[in-house]
Amino acid sequence: MPGKLLVLPNVWDVPSARAVVAAGFPVVATTSAGVAEALGYDDHERAPAAEMFAAAARIARAVDVPVTADLEAGYGLSPSALVEALMEAGVAGCNLEDTDHAATVLLDPAEQASRLADVRAEAATRAYELVINARIDVFLADRDRSQMELVEEALDRAHAYFEAGADCVYPILLRDREATVRFVAAAGGPVNLLALPEGPSVAELAEIGVARVSYGPLVFRRLLEQLNAILADEFR
């Protein structure tokens, strides 16, 4: 059912996080691509886990709202080590995606669900109310097929991940309106979508019943474009 939409303009450092809070947003979310590039690395787990967690910790210390960290696929950490690192960083939530970056393939959904369940159980043993946003990479991995053809596969993953204890699912790159309506109606829990120029508007996503909308590295990229324009126009 339609409800209040949580909008997350993703951040990559302390100044961008403070700007998001000053603008009135109630939650700060990081973008792995922006954080990694700001640290001098490529996305897709090319940055050392310790540096990514340190960046999340700096952001969490600098703002007085909950922070959710994009942790890609978890950097190969065990559930225990992952939860410990999250708690030490002081974040309230995380994204965990179902891509194996070393092999560049989608993880088996049962394997990913088991890992999510282990993370949930580990957090519970520590009385840590971690918000898990389980990213579904079906639409990212197979861009040649129509999105309606992929909805059932994505839904199978969504159901498995919710059963494993995820609080929200994130079918990244889902943008076709018909497929979006179908997925949100049948997901079985809250859905996070990436805002895309070619997809439904934020207002439309709210009407469809999406719970969260995030922007990934979009804000980071736009600011770099503005910096390039300033450098070209004002310093020559």
Side-chain angles (χ1 to χ4, degrees):
M1 294 293 294
K4 185 173 177 58
L5 182 66
L6 177 62
V7 178
L8 301 166
N10 300 73
V11 309
W12 56 95
D13 61 8
V14 168
S16 59
R18 285 176 171 162
V20 164
V21 174
F25 293 94
V27 177
V28 164
T30 71
T31 161
S32 67
V35 173
E37 289 188 35
L39 293 172
Y41 301 95
D42 292 332
D43 196 15
H44 307 311
E45 300 199 337
R46 302 297 196 273
E51 293 194 39
M52 297 296 283
F53 281 107
R58 286 193 294 273
I59 290 168
R61 287 196 302 267
V63 298
D64 57 2
V65 301
V67 173
T68 181
D70 183 352
L71 296 183
E72 306 183 73
Y75 307 107
L77 298 175
S78 69
S80 177
L82 184 66
V83 170
E84 182 176 355
L86 283 164
M87 291 186 71
E88 289 179 354
V91 301
C94 68
N95 285 4
L96 288 172
E97 58 203 45
D98 55 8
T99 292
D100 179 340
H101 290 290
T104 63
V105 296
L106 285 178
L107 290 166
D108 178 82
E111 178 184 352
Q112 178 69 352
S114 177
R115 178 168 171 76
L116 292 171
D118 288 344
V119 171
R120 170 58 67 215
E122 186 66 34
T125 63
R126 300 168 186 248
Y128 177 24
E129 296 182 359
L130 176 68
V131 176
I132 300 175
N133 189 32
R135 205 178 89 174
I136 296 169
D137 287 359
V138 168
F139 302 103
L140 175 65
D142 194 348
R143 304 191 199 192
D144 294 330
R145 292 172 61 191
S146 76
Q147 296 206 324
M148 277 302 294
E149 292 178 327
L150 296 169
V151 165
E152 292 307 317
E153 180 182 349
L155 283 171
D156 287 345
R157 288 176 179 265
H159 298 157
Y161 299 168
F162 277 129
E163 186 175 348
D167 299 285
C168 188
V169 294
Y170 178 16
I172 193 168
L173 293 195
L174 175 58
R175 62 188 180 279
D176 176 81
R177 182 181 175 85
E178 184 181 359
T180 299
V181 170
R182 165 67 181 143
F183 183 91
V184 172
V191 175
N192 184 136
L193 285 186
L194 181 67
L196 294 166
E198 65 273 27
S201 67
V202 171
E204 289 173 320
L205 292 176
E207 291 176 2
I208 290 169
V210 172
R212 300 175 15 162
V213 60
S214 49
Y215 286 77
L218 178 61
V219 178
F220 178 72
R221 300 270 186 262
R222 288 181 63 183
L223 284 177
L224 283 180
E225 290 173 2
Q226 291 184 17
L227 174 59
N228 289 333
I230 291 170
L231 295 173
D233 293 342
E234 298 187 21
F235 293 92
R236 295 189 184 275

